[in-house]
Structure formats: structure tokens, C-alpha cells
Amino acid sequence: MKTRVAPAVVVLGQNSVALGRQISSVLPGAKLYGLASRTSDVDVSFTNFGETLRELFAAGTPLIGICAAGILIRTLAPLLTNKGQEPPVLAVAEDGSAVVPLLGGLSGVNDLARQIAAALDVQAAITTTGDLRFRTALLSPPPGYHLANPEDAKKFIADLLAGAKVKLEGTASWLSESQLPIDPNGELTIQITENLGTPQPNCLVYHLEKIAAIDSEANEKQRGKLAIIGTGPGASKWMSPEVKEILNAATDLVGYKTYINLIGSLADGKHIHESDNREEEARAKIALDLAAEGRYVVVVSSGDPGIFAMATAVFEVLDRYNKPEWQNIDIQVAPGISAMQATAAAIGAPLGHDFCAISLSDILKPWEIITQRITAAAQGDFVIAFYNPVSKERTWQLAAAKNILLQYRKPDTPVVLGRNLGRPGQVVKVMTLENLEPTDADMRTLIIVGSSQTRQMQSNHTNWVYTPRRYQT
């Protein structure tokens, strides 16, 4: 299989689980995804088939669906915009009698289909004419080779199928042992080269990687990985399939103990490296050093890792210290639902128009800057999401922010407080700006202050807050 991204084998019923396990066992790192209401004994459970499939596809994950081909095609149809970026997608019959490659011709789908078919002792339903006639995939060369001019491949293969001969310049056993019409006087040319240059007409160029394919695969196994993930505010149902897949594959978890506890059983069997919540730089260094040793390390943040969280800390450390051993680490940031999104959703749509986010912590930036930003946001009539409003050591900043806002907002402006979102003790309440007090909040509270347009309403005995899409002056 050409792709090195671990595939997802997706099943919709318990009858398919055994077949899914059989397929997963021959694909390194593969995870078995099962519909929560209909399957058990799977690696990852999901509740929404369409959303899960589209998230995995968008993340570049190869997909093997043990289901009808039609449901896969209809589900992924809105995302089919760039053939060159599609991961492999295959449909496998529930009884294992058919393996059908659907998408990902440029990313090795036919090779993956043959690998699965061999494990099931059936024939893969390859329909790509070039693959069938020439017994090789010119669009998806094996590891160690890179097709330099894929934009020329369509006409090149069409000419081959029309009867043109091809001369081979360079050495590549996967081509010389194929059924290509190789002829030293051919009107088409395939070049195997280490040199970069402009391809000539009627020519396909494959660049040799600096190391052989087998060495490349070994190097990939040794190359460390570092993922900075967001678990969402707390509930596991808010954790994305991508994050769950990363956690399943990880060897080491680095993070604040409270956040690691949020992932529950997904931490089982991992090496845990806990640290205090304020030790962001030390945490980032530990994670980078572990990844440099060849481990798959996950830095765990709640909410979204790029919003007042660990993603920035990792890049700051990487940029500031610039250690050579960190330069080969494969780094990934996986987003999560932020606290302001979860709070807003729990009460309606207060972020329905222009908004901004401001941290009231003055540990890493001076209060004068925070004051300037609150003032500017208030003057601009933005809805404001306040992070880190109050701590044991910081009790006056929220009151100071309130006083600034009252210069520009009416006293009855709606204010939403969300605390412990997705965790035991969740509280979401609404009050007015004039009644907001520091005792109403702590570090686990997210505060949303409405704009001049934000409204409260009652519906079905429920209090909702929303900011209209149309701005009226």
C-alpha cells in the first residue's frame, strides 16, 4: 500500500465486525470504526455515519467501507473537488466477495484493493484500464519514486492505450517488469532521475527519493510524531474522530492531569507525562524531546489547542530553541470544539454575528494591552468571549473589564456564563452586564458578553440568547 496514513475500516452492523477485523489485521495501524447503536468490540464508535466519513476523508484517511458502494459515493460527493488530493476509498461486500476501489487513483487505491483482496482470497475489482492492461500504476508509483508531472499523465496514458510505444530511461524494476510496451525507439518516454528539471513533451518523469524505498519505510517508522489535539470542552461526544484516531495510535500523552483525565479509556496503555497547568513551555519541550526519540506523542489540550492553548506553546518553543533533533518531527494540530462554541451552542447563538475572543489573564501580556483590546472590541460593538476571567490570584480583572464595557454597552446587555461544559456540574446561565460579578466566574468559566444587537427570547419554556445576522443601527 502506497499511503502511510493508517486506514479506517468502517462497519455499520455487527455482522461485518469479523470481516472488518480480518481486513484491519493486514493493514498496519488500521482502526475499526463501528456504528455505536449497532456494533460492539470496535476500536472507535461513531453515531453519525456521514459526518464521521467526511471528517476522515478530509483528514486524508484511507477509507474501507464494508457496505454498498453507493452510500460511500453519496456521502463523500460534496467533498470531491480535487482528484489529486483524494485518499483511497474502497467498498467491500459484507460477505467479503468483492473489493471495489472507488476513489484515490493517485494515492494507491488499486494497490490497497489488491492487498485487501489477497487477504480475503478474492479478486479486486480493478477497472482502471491502464492498470489492467499494463499491470502497473503509473499515477501512483511505489515508495521511493515521485511522479513529477502528473498533469501530463492523462494524455500520456491515453497515447499508451492507443498503441504508442515507450522508451525507459533509467532503472526501475516496477516498470521494466510490467507489461508496458517498452521499445528503445518509442515515441513516448519515461525518465527515472534524481535531477529536477522541466519535463519534455510526451514524457513522464519519476524522481528517485534520496534513499531506497525499503530504507524510506524504515526511516518513517523511526521518525517521531507530535500531535497537539483538542479534546473539546469535556464530553467525549465532542471529541472528533480524528482526535480519537490519534489517541488510539499514540505511545505517549503529555499534558495537564485534568485534561488527560478527560479522555478516559483512550489513555489506557499509554505513557503518561503529567505537568502543572502553568508549565506550558516545559510541557512542550518534553513532548518534542519524546517525539525526537521516535515516539508518537500527543499533547492534550481541552477545547481547541490553537485557542489560548498548547499548540502555540509548542511552536513558540520550536521556534525559540530550534534544536536540530526536533526538525525531523512530523507535527500535526488536530482541532477541537472550543469552550466559546460549546457555551454558545448551549444557550442558542450569541456568536451569530461578528465576535472576538480575549483572555483576561495578564500573566503573559500586560493589563494595558488587555484594556486596549476590550475598549476596541466594545467600541466596535463585537460580541466578546472572555477566557480565563477569574483565578484565585486574579480577582479584579473581570470587574475592571465590566467597567470598561459599561461605557459602551447598556446595563441590560445579555451575558452568558458557561462553566464545566461537557463535564459533571455543567452550568450555563444568563444575566445582565450590570449584574455580572467576579464571584460568578472562575478559570473553568467562559463568559460571552453580547453586542448591542444581542437578544434574549423564550421558546418552549427555554431561555435563549442570540445575535441576529442582520445588523441594525
Side-chain angles (χ1 to χ4, degrees):
M1 185 177 65
K2 182 176 187 261
T3 178
R4 295 190 181 101
V5 179
V9 182
V10 183
V11 297
L12 299 177
Q14 192 62 31
N15 290 339
S16 301
V17 170
L19 179 60
R21 285 289 179 203
Q22 184 180 356
I23 293 172
S24 298
S25 67
V26 299
L27 304 176
K31 298 294 180 184
L32 182 60
Y33 285 69
L35 189 59
S37 60
R38 298 181 183 176
T39 62
S40 59
D41 190 30
V42 296
D43 299 320
V44 180
S45 292
F46 60 86
T47 56
N48 189 305
F49 175 78
E51 289 182 3
T52 301
L53 232 66
R54 286 187 286 270
E55 287 177 0
L56 290 168
F57 183 87
T61 304
L63 295 171
I64 300 103
I66 303 180
C67 58
I71 190 174
L72 294 174
I73 294 171
R74 287 192 295 273
T75 298
L76 298 175
L79 305 183
L80 305 184
T81 58
N82 189 333
K83 180 178 180 180
Q85 296 181 358
E86 295 171 357
V89 178
L90 305 94
V92 178
E94 187 181 73
D95 61 359
S97 61
V99 179
V100 185
L102 301 175
L103 300 168
L106 300 181
S107 53
V109 68
N110 289 340
D111 292 339
L112 180 57
R114 291 187 181 99
Q115 184 179 2
I116 295 171
L120 302 180
D121 196 25
V122 298
Q123 191 73 26
I126 307 296
T127 58
T128 308
T129 304
D131 283 24
L132 291 171
R133 186 180 300 182
F134 305 129
R135 294 294 186 267
T136 190
L138 293 175
L139 294 176
S140 56
Y145 300 86
H146 169 70
L147 178 57
N149 56 330
E151 66 280 0
D152 298 331
K154 183 176 181 180
K155 181 179 183 304
F156 188 96
I157 294 174
D159 290 342
L160 278 176
L161 293 172
K165 305 294 184 180
V166 59
K167 56 184 175 182
L168 186 59
E169 296 181 355
T171 303
S173 59
W174 64 281
L175 293 172
S176 58
E177 295 172 4
S178 70
Q179 294 184 14
L180 284 168
I182 296 176
D183 187 317
N185 298 314
E187 51 268 61
L188 303 177
T189 304
I190 294 179
Q191 290 182 345
I192 311 299
T193 178
E194 295 183 1
N195 300 319
L196 297 175
T198 302
Q200 299 300 311
N202 301 319
C203 179
L204 283 188
V205 178
Y206 295 93
H207 287 152
L208 280 169
E209 296 177 355
K210 291 183 179 180
I211 50 179
I214 188 170
D215 293 332
S216 176
E217 291 177 358
N219 184 63
E220 185 72 19
K221 292 177 183 177
Q222 295 173 4
R223 185 185 183 192
K225 295 184 178 181
L226 175 60
I228 309 108
I229 67 160
T231 63
S236 61
K237 65 183 179 182
W238 286 337
M239 198 181 302
S240 74
E242 179 189 26
V243 166
K244 291 179 180 178
E245 184 177 353
I246 289 170
L247 288 169
N248 276 316
T251 60
D252 296 73
L253 305 180
V254 177
Y256 181 41
K257 181 178 180 179
T258 300
Y259 299 155
I260 291 180
N261 288 342
L262 291 176
I263 67 177
S265 61
L266 289 171
D268 294 347
K270 315 296 183 186
H271 298 286
I272 308 297
H273 309 269
E274 297 176 355
S275 62
D276 184 81
N277 197 30
R278 290 191 176 186
E279 297 176 355
E280 290 93 348
E281 182 172 315
R283 195 181 311 155
K285 288 179 179 178
I286 290 171
L288 288 162
D289 286 338
L290 289 169
E293 296 174 5
R295 305 190 194 190
Y296 193 165
V297 183
V298 174
V299 176
V300 181
S301 287
S302 67
D304 181 277
I307 300 177
F308 304 119
M310 280 301 299
T312 302
V314 170
F315 288 112
E316 284 177 347
V317 168
L318 190 65
D319 187 30
R320 183 181 304 130
Y321 296 97
N322 196 27
K323 289 188 177 181
E325 60 267 30
W326 292 348
Q327 300 310 306
N328 196 42
I329 297 173
D330 182 5
I331 298 178
Q332 175 185 4
V333 180
I337 295 174
S338 67
M340 64 181 174
Q341 289 174 300
T343 300
I347 201 66
L351 305 180
H353 209 299
D354 298 336
F355 68 91
C356 65
I358 298 175
S359 171
L360 288 183
S361 173
D362 58 355
I363 295 174
L364 299 178
K365 64 177 182 288
W367 178 251
E368 292 76 16
I369 295 296
I370 299 174
T371 298
Q372 290 175 15
R373 292 178 179 177
I374 297 171
T375 302
Q379 290 175 333
D381 202 20
F382 285 91
V383 175
I384 306 173
F386 284 116
Y387 281 75
N388 308 316
V390 174
S391 70
K392 293 179 180 179
E393 295 79 20
R394 295 185 299 101
T395 58
W396 58 269
Q397 285 90 341
L398 181 57
K402 169 185 169 180
N403 291 333
I404 296 172
L405 291 170
L406 283 172
Q407 299 176 41
Y408 304 92
R409 304 281 163 90
K410 294 179 179 179
D412 63 352
T413 299
V415 175
V416 181
L417 288 85
R419 186 177 187 275
N420 281 344
L421 273 297
R423 310 181 202 178
Q426 172 177 313
V427 176
V428 179
K429 59 183 179 180
V430 182
M431 61 178 59
T432 62
L433 180 58
E434 66 178 344
N435 292 327
L436 177 64
E437 299 294 339
T439 53
D440 295 319
D442 58 16
M443 284 292 285
R444 290 177 290 178
T445 304
L446 190 286
I447 300 176
I448 298 176
V449 178
S451 71
S452 65
Q453 308 291 305
T454 303
R455 303 177 187 176
Q456 292 190 64
M457 61 171 286
Q458 290 280 334
S459 176
N460 194 25
H461 307 294
T462 301
N463 189 30
W464 299 104
V465 176
Y466 76 101
T467 303
R469 293 175 300 159
R470 291 179 177 84
Y471 194 93
Q472 297 180 352
T473 57

